[in-house]
mmCIF file of all heavy atoms in Angstrom:
data_model
loop_
_atom_site.group_PDB
_atom_site.id
_atom_site.type_symbol
_atom_site.label_atom_id
_atom_site.label_comp_id
_atom_site.label_asym_id
_atom_site.label_seq_id
_atom_site.Cartn_x
_atom_site.Cartn_y
_atom_site.Cartn_z
ATOM 1 N N PHE W 1079 6.439 12.548 2.900
ATOM 2 C CA PHE W 1079 5.491 13.248 3.740
ATOM 3 C C PHE W 1079 5.032 14.508 3.052
ATOM 4 O O PHE W 1079 5.867 15.252 2.585
ATOM 5 C CB PHE W 1079 6.165 13.619 5.093
ATOM 6 C CG PHE W 1079 5.329 14.524 5.943
ATOM 7 C CD1 PHE W 1079 4.305 14.021 6.663
ATOM 8 C CD2 PHE W 1079 5.623 15.874 6.007
ATOM 9 C CE1 PHE W 1079 3.507 14.871 7.459
ATOM 10 C CE2 PHE W 1079 4.876 16.740 6.769
ATOM 11 C CZ PHE W 1079 3.800 16.209 7.505
ATOM 12 N N ILE W 1080 3.742 14.684 2.958
ATOM 13 C CA ILE W 1080 3.161 15.884 2.391
ATOM 14 C C ILE W 1080 2.351 16.577 3.482
ATOM 15 O O ILE W 1080 1.384 16.021 3.998
ATOM 16 C CB ILE W 1080 2.225 15.577 1.195
ATOM 17 C CG1 ILE W 1080 2.981 14.710 0.146
ATOM 18 C CG2 ILE W 1080 1.747 16.872 0.560
ATOM 19 C CD1 ILE W 1080 4.214 15.361 -0.462
ATOM 20 N N ARG W 1081 2.751 17.756 3.834
ATOM 21 C CA ARG W 1081 2.141 18.478 4.963
ATOM 22 C C ARG W 1081 0.708 18.882 4.600
ATOM 23 O O ARG W 1081 0.467 19.491 3.578
ATOM 24 C CB ARG W 1081 2.962 19.715 5.286
ATOM 25 C CG ARG W 1081 2.606 20.309 6.603
ATOM 26 C CD ARG W 1081 3.510 21.484 6.926
ATOM 27 N NE ARG W 1081 3.600 21.707 8.368
ATOM 28 C CZ ARG W 1081 4.677 21.728 9.070
ATOM 29 N NH1 ARG W 1081 5.849 21.558 8.435
ATOM 30 N NH2 ARG W 1081 4.669 21.933 10.364
ATOM 31 N N PRO W 1082 -0.260 18.553 5.417
ATOM 32 C CA PRO W 1082 -1.642 18.980 5.202
ATOM 33 C C PRO W 1082 -1.717 20.530 5.164
ATOM 34 O O PRO W 1082 -0.943 21.210 5.876
ATOM 35 C CB PRO W 1082 -2.428 18.415 6.331
ATOM 36 C CG PRO W 1082 -1.574 17.308 6.887
ATOM 37 C CD PRO W 1082 -0.158 17.696 6.642
ATOM 38 N N ALA W 1083 -2.612 21.051 4.389
ATOM 39 C CA ALA W 1083 -2.725 22.518 4.242
ATOM 40 C C ALA W 1083 -3.038 23.197 5.597
ATOM 41 O O ALA W 1083 -2.603 24.334 5.797
ATOM 42 C CB ALA W 1083 -3.831 22.842 3.235
ATOM 43 N N ASP W 1084 -3.722 22.541 6.504
ATOM 44 C CA ASP W 1084 -4.120 23.148 7.754
ATOM 45 C C ASP W 1084 -3.113 22.860 8.910
ATOM 46 O O ASP W 1084 -3.420 23.131 10.042
ATOM 47 C CB ASP W 1084 -5.503 22.704 8.181
ATOM 48 C CG ASP W 1084 -5.625 21.211 8.353
ATOM 49 O OD1 ASP W 1084 -4.638 20.458 7.983
ATOM 50 O OD2 ASP W 1084 -6.685 20.691 8.814
ATOM 51 N N ASP W 1085 -1.968 22.262 8.586
ATOM 52 C CA ASP W 1085 -0.981 21.888 9.536
ATOM 53 C C ASP W 1085 0.087 22.966 9.664
ATOM 54 O O ASP W 1085 1.020 22.997 8.852
ATOM 55 C CB ASP W 1085 -0.371 20.544 9.166
ATOM 56 C CG ASP W 1085 0.484 19.930 10.304
ATOM 57 O OD1 ASP W 1085 0.595 20.575 11.376
ATOM 58 O OD2 ASP W 1085 1.055 18.823 10.116
ATOM 59 N N SER W 1086 -0.050 23.831 10.641
ATOM 60 C CA SER W 1086 0.867 24.973 10.771
ATOM 61 C C SER W 1086 2.205 24.511 11.420
ATOM 62 O O SER W 1086 2.172 23.833 12.391
ATOM 63 C CB SER W 1086 0.253 26.072 11.589
ATOM 64 O OG SER W 1086 1.196 27.035 11.958
ATOM 65 N N PRO W 1087 3.336 25.055 10.882
ATOM 66 C CA PRO W 1087 4.608 24.747 11.542
ATOM 67 C C PRO W 1087 4.721 25.355 12.890
ATOM 68 O O PRO W 1087 5.577 24.982 13.692
ATOM 69 C CB PRO W 1087 5.645 25.324 10.547
ATOM 70 C CG PRO W 1087 4.894 26.375 9.781
ATOM 71 C CD PRO W 1087 3.479 25.859 9.680
ATOM 72 N N ASN W 1088 3.891 26.350 13.162
ATOM 73 C CA ASN W 1088 3.923 27.047 14.511
ATOM 74 C C ASN W 1088 2.859 26.512 15.458
ATOM 75 O O ASN W 1088 2.580 27.141 16.468
ATOM 76 C CB ASN W 1088 3.755 28.545 14.310
ATOM 77 C CG ASN W 1088 4.924 29.120 13.486
ATOM 78 O OD1 ASN W 1088 6.077 28.811 13.698
ATOM 79 N ND2 ASN W 1088 4.551 29.974 12.518
ATOM 80 N N GLY W 1089 2.228 25.365 15.108
ATOM 81 C CA GLY W 1089 1.197 24.832 15.937
ATOM 82 C C GLY W 1089 1.744 24.371 17.303
ATOM 83 O O GLY W 1089 2.958 24.076 17.416
ATOM 84 N N PRO W 1090 0.952 24.327 18.355
ATOM 85 C CA PRO W 1090 1.464 24.055 19.690
ATOM 86 C C PRO W 1090 1.986 22.609 19.848
ATOM 87 O O PRO W 1090 2.800 22.363 20.726
ATOM 88 C CB PRO W 1090 0.206 24.267 20.568
ATOM 89 C CG PRO W 1090 -0.970 24.090 19.647
ATOM 90 C CD PRO W 1090 -0.499 24.599 18.332
ATOM 91 N N ASP W 1091 1.513 21.680 18.994
ATOM 92 C CA ASP W 1091 1.955 20.275 19.138
ATOM 93 C C ASP W 1091 3.352 20.073 18.605
ATOM 94 O O ASP W 1091 4.029 19.090 18.996
ATOM 95 C CB ASP W 1091 1.005 19.349 18.399
ATOM 96 C CG ASP W 1091 -0.374 19.306 19.094
ATOM 97 O OD1 ASP W 1091 -0.439 19.615 20.274
ATOM 98 O OD2 ASP W 1091 -1.335 18.977 18.359
ATOM 99 N N GLY W 1092 3.856 20.945 17.732
ATOM 100 C CA GLY W 1092 5.197 20.693 17.173
ATOM 101 C C GLY W 1092 5.295 19.386 16.484
ATOM 102 O O GLY W 1092 4.430 18.982 15.726
ATOM 103 N N VAL W 1093 6.328 18.597 16.791
ATOM 104 C CA VAL W 1093 6.533 17.323 16.121
ATOM 105 C C VAL W 1093 5.602 16.245 16.704
ATOM 106 O O VAL W 1093 5.667 15.059 16.309
ATOM 107 C CB VAL W 1093 7.996 16.822 16.243
ATOM 108 C CG1 VAL W 1093 8.890 17.713 15.448
ATOM 109 C CG2 VAL W 1093 8.448 16.746 17.685
ATOM 110 N N ASN W 1094 4.747 16.609 17.652
ATOM 111 C CA ASN W 1094 3.687 15.682 18.115
ATOM 112 C C ASN W 1094 2.460 15.825 17.270
ATOM 113 O O ASN W 1094 1.437 15.149 17.584
ATOM 114 C CB ASN W 1094 3.387 15.940 19.582
ATOM 115 C CG ASN W 1094 4.600 15.688 20.477
ATOM 116 O OD1 ASN W 1094 5.294 14.721 20.277
ATOM 117 N ND2 ASN W 1094 4.774 16.568 21.500
ATOM 118 N N SER W 1095 2.488 16.600 16.203
ATOM 119 C CA SER W 1095 1.354 16.761 15.330
ATOM 120 C C SER W 1095 0.963 15.432 14.759
ATOM 121 O O SER W 1095 1.828 14.606 14.416
ATOM 122 C CB SER W 1095 1.723 17.756 14.198
ATOM 123 O OG SER W 1095 0.746 17.636 13.151
ATOM 124 N N PRO W 1096 -0.342 15.132 14.654
ATOM 125 C CA PRO W 1096 -0.801 13.782 14.154
ATOM 126 C C PRO W 1096 -0.195 13.452 12.788
ATOM 127 O O PRO W 1096 0.085 12.325 12.523
ATOM 128 C CB PRO W 1096 -2.295 13.947 14.140
ATOM 129 C CG PRO W 1096 -2.628 14.995 15.144
ATOM 130 C CD PRO W 1096 -1.471 15.966 15.128
ATOM 131 N N ALA W 1097 -0.073 14.492 11.898
ATOM 132 C CA ALA W 1097 0.363 14.192 10.555
ATOM 133 C C ALA W 1097 1.758 13.617 10.513
ATOM 134 O O ALA W 1097 2.024 12.554 9.901
ATOM 135 C CB ALA W 1097 0.251 15.432 9.656
ATOM 136 N N ILE W 1098 2.690 14.289 11.127
ATOM 137 C CA ILE W 1098 4.093 13.840 11.111
ATOM 138 C C ILE W 1098 4.285 12.602 11.945
ATOM 139 O O ILE W 1098 5.087 11.721 11.647
ATOM 140 C CB ILE W 1098 5.078 14.993 11.474
ATOM 141 C CG1 ILE W 1098 6.539 14.546 11.224
ATOM 142 C CG2 ILE W 1098 4.892 15.340 12.944
ATOM 143 C CD1 ILE W 1098 6.879 14.389 9.764
ATOM 144 N N THR W 1099 3.549 12.519 13.037
ATOM 145 C CA THR W 1099 3.611 11.339 13.901
ATOM 146 C C THR W 1099 3.188 10.086 13.138
ATOM 147 O O THR W 1099 3.821 9.020 13.267
ATOM 148 C CB THR W 1099 2.755 11.496 15.180
ATOM 149 O OG1 THR W 1099 3.207 12.632 15.914
ATOM 150 C CG2 THR W 1099 2.784 10.309 16.006
ATOM 151 N N ALA W 1100 2.105 10.183 12.376
ATOM 152 C CA ALA W 1100 1.650 9.058 11.610
ATOM 153 C C ALA W 1100 2.665 8.638 10.540
ATOM 154 O O ALA W 1100 2.888 7.427 10.315
ATOM 155 C CB ALA W 1100 0.292 9.375 10.875
ATOM 156 N N TRP W 1101 3.307 9.614 9.883
ATOM 157 C CA TRP W 1101 4.330 9.305 8.871
ATOM 158 C C TRP W 1101 5.555 8.594 9.530
ATOM 159 O O TRP W 1101 6.049 7.672 8.979
ATOM 160 C CB TRP W 1101 4.755 10.611 8.199
ATOM 161 C CG TRP W 1101 5.658 10.389 7.035
ATOM 162 C CD1 TRP W 1101 5.315 10.053 5.731
ATOM 163 C CD2 TRP W 1101 7.084 10.469 7.043
ATOM 164 N NE1 TRP W 1101 6.455 9.914 4.968
ATOM 165 C CE2 TRP W 1101 7.558 10.180 5.768
ATOM 166 C CE3 TRP W 1101 8.034 10.749 8.055
ATOM 167 C CZ2 TRP W 1101 8.941 10.159 5.410
ATOM 168 C CZ3 TRP W 1101 9.396 10.714 7.706
ATOM 169 C CH2 TRP W 1101 9.822 10.485 6.414
ATOM 170 N N ILE W 1102 5.949 9.070 10.722
ATOM 171 C CA ILE W 1102 7.099 8.492 11.361
ATOM 172 C C ILE W 1102 6.759 7.066 11.814
ATOM 173 O O ILE W 1102 7.584 6.136 11.664
ATOM 174 C CB ILE W 1102 7.473 9.323 12.567
ATOM 175 C CG1 ILE W 1102 8.110 10.623 12.105
ATOM 176 C CG2 ILE W 1102 8.418 8.582 13.517
ATOM 177 C CD1 ILE W 1102 8.375 11.639 13.193
ATOM 178 N N ASP W 1103 5.536 6.831 12.299
ATOM 179 C CA ASP W 1103 5.101 5.490 12.697
ATOM 180 C C ASP W 1103 5.163 4.546 11.479
ATOM 181 O O ASP W 1103 5.555 3.400 11.595
ATOM 182 C CB ASP W 1103 3.694 5.527 13.240
ATOM 183 C CG ASP W 1103 3.641 6.159 14.648
ATOM 184 O OD1 ASP W 1103 4.740 6.328 15.259
ATOM 185 O OD2 ASP W 1103 2.562 6.514 15.063
ATOM 186 N N GLU W 1104 4.688 5.086 10.316
ATOM 187 C CA GLU W 1104 4.702 4.250 9.105
ATOM 188 C C GLU W 1104 6.202 3.959 8.668
ATOM 189 O O GLU W 1104 6.457 2.819 8.255
ATOM 190 C CB GLU W 1104 4.017 4.979 7.941
ATOM 191 C CG GLU W 1104 3.924 4.184 6.680
ATOM 192 C CD GLU W 1104 3.247 4.909 5.546
ATOM 193 O OE1 GLU W 1104 2.889 6.095 5.680
ATOM 194 O OE2 GLU W 1104 2.977 4.286 4.529
ATOM 195 N N LEU W 1105 7.091 4.909 8.848
ATOM 196 C CA LEU W 1105 8.513 4.666 8.530
ATOM 197 C C LEU W 1105 9.049 3.563 9.420
ATOM 198 O O LEU W 1105 9.784 2.703 8.943
ATOM 199 C CB LEU W 1105 9.273 5.968 8.675
ATOM 200 C CG LEU W 1105 10.786 5.891 8.406
ATOM 201 C CD1 LEU W 1105 11.099 5.262 7.056
ATOM 202 C CD2 LEU W 1105 11.441 7.238 8.543
ATOM 203 N N ARG W 1106 8.731 3.581 10.701
ATOM 204 C CA ARG W 1106 9.207 2.532 11.567
ATOM 205 C C ARG W 1106 8.657 1.199 11.188
ATOM 206 O O ARG W 1106 9.370 0.182 11.188
ATOM 207 C CB ARG W 1106 8.822 2.867 13.025
ATOM 208 C CG ARG W 1106 9.571 4.052 13.624
ATOM 209 C CD ARG W 1106 9.420 4.063 15.148
ATOM 210 N NE ARG W 1106 9.973 5.270 15.746
ATOM 211 C CZ ARG W 1106 11.314 5.424 16.019
ATOM 212 N NH1 ARG W 1106 12.155 4.504 15.686
ATOM 213 N NH2 ARG W 1106 11.696 6.534 16.576
ATOM 214 N N ARG W 1107 7.362 1.152 10.809
ATOM 215 C CA ARG W 1107 6.798 -0.151 10.435
ATOM 216 C C ARG W 1107 7.409 -0.683 9.130
ATOM 217 O O ARG W 1107 7.568 -1.836 8.943
ATOM 218 C CB ARG W 1107 5.241 0.014 10.199
ATOM 219 C CG ARG W 1107 4.444 0.182 11.504
ATOM 220 C CD ARG W 1107 2.978 -0.102 11.225
ATOM 221 N NE ARG W 1107 2.452 0.783 10.154
ATOM 222 C CZ ARG W 1107 1.983 1.987 10.347
ATOM 223 N NH1 ARG W 1107 1.940 2.527 11.543
ATOM 224 N NH2 ARG W 1107 1.531 2.731 9.298
ATOM 225 N N LYS W 1108 7.679 0.282 8.218
ATOM 226 C CA LYS W 1108 8.215 -0.111 6.939
ATOM 227 C C LYS W 1108 9.739 -0.161 6.865
ATOM 228 O O LYS W 1108 10.313 -0.231 5.756
ATOM 229 C CB LYS W 1108 7.697 0.838 5.830
ATOM 230 C CG LYS W 1108 6.237 0.677 5.479
ATOM 231 C CD LYS W 1108 5.894 1.595 4.302
ATOM 232 C CE LYS W 1108 4.470 1.329 3.804
ATOM 233 N NZ LYS W 1108 4.128 2.144 2.650
ATOM 234 N N ALA W 1109 10.405 -0.142 7.995
ATOM 235 C CA ALA W 1109 11.853 -0.149 7.980
ATOM 236 C C ALA W 1109 12.360 -1.242 7.022
ATOM 237 O O ALA W 1109 11.847 -2.377 7.091
ATOM 238 C CB ALA W 1109 12.359 -0.395 9.390
ATOM 239 N N PRO W 1110 13.299 -0.937 6.180
ATOM 240 C CA PRO W 1110 13.708 -1.908 5.166
ATOM 241 C C PRO W 1110 14.223 -3.198 5.724
ATOM 242 O O PRO W 1110 15.070 -3.240 6.625
ATOM 243 C CB PRO W 1110 14.840 -1.162 4.370
ATOM 244 C CG PRO W 1110 15.295 -0.078 5.317
ATOM 245 C CD PRO W 1110 14.099 0.276 6.149
ATOM 246 N N LYS W 1111 13.695 -4.301 5.169
ATOM 247 C CA LYS W 1111 14.093 -5.625 5.616
ATOM 248 C C LYS W 1111 15.396 -6.090 4.944
ATOM 249 O O LYS W 1111 16.015 -7.061 5.426
ATOM 250 C CB LYS W 1111 12.968 -6.640 5.343
ATOM 251 C CG LYS W 1111 11.645 -6.305 5.982
ATOM 252 C CD LYS W 1111 11.767 -6.340 7.517
ATOM 253 C CE LYS W 1111 10.428 -6.189 8.168
ATOM 254 N NZ LYS W 1111 9.821 -4.839 7.955
ATOM 255 N N THR W 1112 15.753 -5.486 3.856
ATOM 256 C CA THR W 1112 16.999 -5.793 3.187
ATOM 257 C C THR W 1112 17.739 -4.499 2.790
ATOM 258 O O THR W 1112 17.100 -3.444 2.678
ATOM 259 C CB THR W 1112 16.772 -6.613 1.919
ATOM 260 O OG1 THR W 1112 15.906 -5.899 1.024
ATOM 261 C CG2 THR W 1112 16.134 -7.961 2.271
ATOM 262 N N SER W 1113 19.038 -4.617 2.626
ATOM 263 C CA SER W 1113 19.847 -3.428 2.299
ATOM 264 C C SER W 1113 19.441 -2.823 0.961
ATOM 265 O O SER W 1113 19.542 -1.594 0.790
ATOM 266 C CB SER W 1113 21.321 -3.851 2.291
ATOM 267 O OG SER W 1113 22.136 -2.777 1.877
ATOM 268 N N ASP W 1114 19.027 -3.668 -0.022
ATOM 269 C CA ASP W 1114 18.863 -3.149 -1.358
ATOM 270 C C ASP W 1114 17.526 -2.376 -1.552
ATOM 271 O O ASP W 1114 17.213 -1.977 -2.649
ATOM 272 C CB ASP W 1114 18.988 -4.273 -2.366
ATOM 273 C CG ASP W 1114 17.880 -5.298 -2.277
ATOM 274 O OD1 ASP W 1114 16.990 -5.203 -1.403
ATOM 275 O OD2 ASP W 1114 17.938 -6.320 -2.986
ATOM 276 N N LYS W 1115 16.817 -2.157 -0.472
ATOM 277 C CA LYS W 1115 15.583 -1.342 -0.516
ATOM 278 C C LYS W 1115 15.910 0.148 -0.536
ATOM 279 O O LYS W 1115 15.024 0.990 -0.722
ATOM 280 C CB LYS W 1115 14.634 -1.716 0.592
ATOM 281 C CG LYS W 1115 13.967 -3.084 0.437
ATOM 282 C CD LYS W 1115 12.965 -3.068 -0.678
ATOM 283 C CE LYS W 1115 12.228 -4.363 -0.703
ATOM 284 N NZ LYS W 1115 11.183 -4.377 -1.803
ATOM 285 N N VAL W 1116 17.137 0.503 -0.148
ATOM 286 C CA VAL W 1116 17.510 1.923 0.044
ATOM 287 C C VAL W 1116 18.552 2.279 -1.003
ATOM 288 O O VAL W 1116 19.400 1.452 -1.347
ATOM 289 C CB VAL W 1116 18.065 2.153 1.446
ATOM 290 C CG1 VAL W 1116 18.481 3.642 1.622
ATOM 291 C CG2 VAL W 1116 17.039 1.699 2.511
ATOM 292 N N MET W 1117 18.485 3.493 -1.514
ATOM 293 C CA MET W 1117 19.618 3.999 -2.406
ATOM 294 C C MET W 1117 20.622 4.647 -1.442
ATOM 295 O O MET W 1117 20.398 5.718 -0.896
ATOM 296 C CB MET W 1117 19.078 4.996 -3.406
ATOM 297 C CG MET W 1117 20.155 5.521 -4.354
ATOM 298 S SD MET W 1117 20.803 4.200 -5.440
ATOM 299 C CE MET W 1117 22.582 4.226 -5.038
ATOM 300 N N TRP W 1118 21.735 3.918 -1.200
ATOM 301 C CA TRP W 1118 22.770 4.400 -0.313
ATOM 302 C C TRP W 1118 23.878 5.139 -1.070
ATOM 303 O O TRP W 1118 23.990 4.997 -2.307
ATOM 304 C CB TRP W 1118 23.439 3.241 0.421
ATOM 305 C CG TRP W 1118 22.499 2.333 1.203
ATOM 306 C CD1 TRP W 1118 21.920 1.249 0.725
ATOM 307 C CD2 TRP W 1118 22.088 2.519 2.532
ATOM 308 N NE1 TRP W 1118 21.109 0.639 1.714
ATOM 309 C CE2 TRP W 1118 21.237 1.400 2.857
ATOM 310 C CE3 TRP W 1118 22.348 3.463 3.522
ATOM 311 C CZ2 TRP W 1118 20.641 1.244 4.132
ATOM 312 C CZ3 TRP W 1118 21.783 3.246 4.768
ATOM 313 C CH2 TRP W 1118 20.932 2.190 5.063
ATOM 314 N N ALA W 1119 24.633 5.898 -0.329
ATOM 315 C CA ALA W 1119 25.880 6.493 -0.890
ATOM 316 C C ALA W 1119 26.993 6.339 0.156
ATOM 317 O O ALA W 1119 26.702 6.235 1.371
ATOM 318 C CB ALA W 1119 25.636 8.012 -1.193
ATOM 319 N N SER W 1120 28.221 6.379 -0.356
ATOM 320 C CA SER W 1120 29.363 6.341 0.546
ATOM 321 C C SER W 1120 30.452 7.246 -0.042
ATOM 322 O O SER W 1120 30.801 7.056 -1.227
ATOM 323 C CB SER W 1120 29.915 4.938 0.710
ATOM 324 O OG SER W 1120 31.194 4.978 1.331
ATOM 325 N N ALA W 1121 30.958 8.163 0.792
ATOM 326 C CA ALA W 1121 32.114 8.971 0.402
ATOM 327 C C ALA W 1121 33.303 8.699 1.340
ATOM 328 O O ALA W 1121 34.345 9.346 1.194
ATOM 329 C CB ALA W 1121 31.775 10.448 0.408
#
């Protein structure tokens, strides 16, 4: 996610801002179908 230059962190929409909402929607759509799509760690 790259924040648009005109997207203020103090804007009234907060996390309802279109930019971050669109990125989150894309993440849900692209949720990994297999385990090996993610670099995991375990401690």
Side-chain angles (χ1 to χ4, degrees):
F1079 170 78
I1080 307 298
R1081 192 177 205 123
D1084 60 352
D1085 191 359
S1086 169
N1088 299 315
D1091 292 337
V1093 293
N1094 297 319
S1095 166
I1098 189 65
T1099 299
W1101 186 84
I1102 289 171
D1103 289 344
E1104 184 180 7
L1105 177 56
R1106 289 196 187 280
R1107 286 196 307 272
K1108 287 187 172 181
K1111 301 297 188 293
T1112 58
S1113 175
D1114 64 3
K1115 289 290 187 178
V1116 180
M1117 184 64 239
W1118 304 92
S1120 168

